[in-house]
Amino acid sequence: MLDQKYVIENIEQVIKRLNDRQDDFSYLKQLVDLADQRKKLIAESEKLKEARNSNSKKVGELMAAKKISEADELKKLILEAKKTIESLDEKLAIVEEEIKAILDVTPNIPDESVPVGKDEDDNVEIRKWGNIRKINNVKEHWEIATNLDIIDFERGTKLSGSRFIIYKGLGARLERAIMNLMLDEHLKRGYVEVIPPILVQPQIMHGTGNLPKFAADAYYVEKDNLFLIPTAEVPVTNMYREEILQESQLPIRHCAYTPCFRQEAGSAGKDTKGIIRLHQFNKVEMVKITTQEESFNELEKMVNDAEHILQLLEIPYRVIILSTGDMGFSSSKTYDLELWMPGQDKYREVSSCSNCKDFQARRMKLRYKDNAGVIKLAHTLNGSGLAIDRVIAAILENYQNADGSVTVPTALQPYLGVDKIS
């Protein structure tokens, strides 16, 4: 959530910067009028409360002096003031809720270092890594997985509908091996592993910006008023909500493996084959909570941590910075890692690493006391480290052999116990 005071005091500049996200944010001008209404209501209420308190004191004096009729007249005025104050408080609550409703659906302001652009075509490539292998008669991952009998697409659909799958045999073991490799490597680089709940309360989804804006993409359990998490970012970042940390505790670095759930309401017709876009998918997530001064340094380190996994697996990839028109709701700056998919002859996203600055922290009241004793909003970061299903798809396509087998990346062989899937 944006700082409403900053937005109101810099309304034109804020609208201009947000419009770079390729949407119209002129509706934010309402905040100026609402803030003015709030100011007037508060001033009127405080004036009445001051008069009420003064009259209450006089009533006591009049009663002591046995001036009963005069005291009764003042009591009537106090009662009228009470009713008016209650009415003003109700109006103030409505205005406050209108302000909150506007800010709840307003995204983060892009950092000045983010390239301005309309959509993904305006993302900027930062670097590439790895050699793209030439493969004759290249097959796509779903065909390879079906031939090797390591993913059962039909029975996954039979159980749960479209975009659900079953890993089996070496497919299930491959998923587990990748998870363990990722977690082990992140632990070596200073992350603390957690296993969070995968069902969370609405306020937890709100804290990271998933509600109310993206309710249509979420799986909701009405009976218990709980949401299935779209990513471990949601519960892990919220672990410290409504707390005041000490600067000496920061940065906090966590990693977590969880299944993730998204309805993908806006993705009809996209990636209907294979395991690129599933309703239930597996991911290792990285989360950081930092000081305001260090968040961009920690973002660069997080990107390197995600790259490290792809380099170990020897999968070609590239790093891009997202343009303003392609950024996520809560992010102020995002790098995407895209791995090479020879079957599709293009790069596909496997990780987004984002600095949300204080946008999420303000929503979840996550603060820290700096070394000078000043209480500040923390900065939060998150990144996939990595999306396991997409890594599996990339391994199947990049390591496919002419005889239909798939070579296991060297780094995974100790975890899987074999050097080839056939």
Side-chain angles (χ1 to χ4, degrees), residues 332-391:
S332 70
K333 183 175 184 178
T334 298
Y335 291 101
D336 269 10
L337 274 67
E338 297 183 338
L339 40 65
W340 177 249
M341 300 289 291
Q344 299 183 24
D345 194 33
K346 62 181 177 181
Y347 289 96
R348 297 301 304 263
E349 176 203 335
V350 72
S351 175
S352 284
C353 297
S354 301
N355 184 358
C356 300
K357 291 186 178 177
D358 61 11
F359 186 83
Q360 294 177 328
R362 183 172 287 105
R363 295 170 84 101
M364 60 182 74
K365 297 178 182 177
L366 169 54
R367 295 158 291 169
Y368 69 97
K369 184 182 289 186
D370 71 11
N371 293 330
V374 179
I375 294 177
K376 300 177 179 179
L377 286 166
H379 280 194
T380 63
L381 300 89
N382 63 82
S384 304
L386 306 158
I388 296 176
D389 305 274
R390 295 191 176 195
V391 170

Side-chain angles (χ1 to χ4, degrees), residues 126-153:
I126 304 298
R127 57 184 173 270
K128 284 182 178 177
W129 184 93
N131 298 314
I132 293 175
R133 174 184 163 212
K134 184 178 179 180
I135 303 172
N136 296 322
N137 301 315
V138 63
K139 293 181 175 63
E140 298 200 61
H141 66 273
W142 59 82
E143 184 180 355
I144 300 167
T146 300
N147 291 340
L148 292 172
D149 196 28
I150 60 174
I151 300 178
D152 196 326
F153 294 98

Side-chain angles (χ1 to χ4, degrees), residues 58 112 131 194 223 311 400:
K58 288 178 183 177
E112 293 178 357
N131 298 314
V194 295
K223 173 180 175 290
Q311 290 174 9
Q400 63 183 286

Side-chain angles (χ1 to χ4, degrees), residues 72-350:
D72 288 343
E73 288 299 317
L74 277 181
K75 286 179 182 178
K76 290 179 184 178
L77 290 176
I78 291 169
L79 183 60
E80 288 174 6
K82 179 185 177 184
K83 291 178 180 178
T84 304
I85 290 168
E86 288 175 351
S87 175
L88 290 170
D89 286 345
E90 288 175 3
K91 291 177 182 177
L92 179 61
I94 291 171
V95 170
E96 292 280 12
E97 188 57 37
E98 289 178 357
I99 291 172
K100 181 178 181 297
I102 291 170
L103 291 174
D104 268 350
V105 296
T106 301
N108 204 351
I109 297 171
D111 186 72
E112 293 178 357
S113 62
V114 174
V116 177
K118 292 183 179 180
D119 51 32
E120 62 184 16
D121 292 333
D122 294 316
N123 296 340
V124 177
E125 184 179 291
I126 304 298
R127 57 184 173 270
K128 284 182 178 177
W129 184 93
N131 298 314
I132 293 175
R133 174 184 163 212
K134 184 178 179 180
I135 303 172
N136 296 322
N137 301 315
V138 63
K139 293 181 175 63
E140 298 200 61
H141 66 273
W142 59 82
E143 184 180 355
I144 300 167
T146 300
N147 291 340
L148 292 172
D149 196 28
I150 60 174
I151 300 178
D152 196 326
F153 294 98
E154 291 185 4
R155 289 188 176 91
T157 299
K158 181 170 69 174
L159 292 178
S160 304
S162 63
R163 303 197 187 195
F164 289 91
I165 64 167
I166 298 171
Y167 286 108
K168 57 186 292 191
L170 280 172
R173 289 173 57 191
L174 178 61
E175 194 276 343
R176 183 156 47 93
I178 294 170
M179 173 195 72
N180 284 326
L181 170 70
M182 290 178 181
L183 290 173
D184 287 349
E185 290 302 318
H186 291 318
L187 294 181
K188 292 176 187 176
R189 296 167 85 90
Y191 292 82
V192 175
E193 183 180 354
V194 295
I195 301 177
I198 61 171
L199 283 163
V200 295
Q201 301 175 82
Q203 65 266 31
I204 304 304
M205 293 281 281
H206 177 270
T208 43
N210 298 84
L211 289 182
K213 184 76 170 177
F214 304 104
D217 283 333
Y219 280 98
Y220 178 59
V221 183
E222 185 175 2
K223 173 180 175 290
D224 298 307
N225 191 29
L226 295 171
F227 288 85
L228 284 164
I229 62 169
T231 165
E233 168 203 348
V234 175
V236 177
T237 311
N238 274 278
M239 282 171 57
Y240 302 94
R241 67 181 289 116
E242 298 172 2
E243 293 186 25
I244 300 176
L245 305 169
Q246 298 297 319
E247 183 172 345
S248 59
Q249 294 176 263
L250 305 179
I252 291 172
R253 301 183 181 99
H254 283 311
C255 62
Y257 163 80
T258 63
C260 307
F261 304 86
R262 289 182 192 166
Q263 293 204 44
E264 301 267 18
S267 66
K270 297 179 182 177
D271 297 311
T272 53
K273 286 187 175 183
I275 58 176
I276 295 295
R277 197 182 295 272
L278 300 171
H279 290 316
Q280 176 183 329
F281 53 98
N282 302 308
K283 189 148 70 82
V284 171
E285 186 78 3
M286 302 176 290
V287 168
K288 292 185 179 185
I289 298 167
T290 79
T291 63
Q292 296 179 1
E293 294 78 14
E294 286 298 313
S295 63
F296 279 106
N297 289 333
E298 290 295 335
L299 176 62
E300 298 297 327
K301 292 177 184 177
M302 179 178 279
V303 174
N304 289 336
D305 293 336
E307 287 184 80
H308 172 65
I309 303 297
L310 291 177
Q311 290 174 9
L312 278 178
L313 296 173
E314 299 181 81
I315 298 173
Y317 68 88
R318 67 175 183 171
V319 179
I320 61 173
I321 181 171
L322 299 193
S323 73
T324 53
D326 196 33
M327 290 172 58
F329 179 80
S330 297
S331 174
S332 70
K333 183 175 184 178
T334 298
Y335 291 101
D336 269 10
L337 274 67
E338 297 183 338
L339 40 65
W340 177 249
M341 300 289 291
Q344 299 183 24
D345 194 33
K346 62 181 177 181
Y347 289 96
R348 297 301 304 263
E349 176 203 335
V350 72

Side-chain angles (χ1 to χ4, degrees), residues 57-68 70-71 74:
K57 184 178 179 181
K58 288 178 183 177
V59 166
E61 294 170 353
L62 290 170
M63 292 295 288
K66 296 185 178 180
K67 297 181 179 180
I68 307 302
E70 292 180 42
L74 277 181

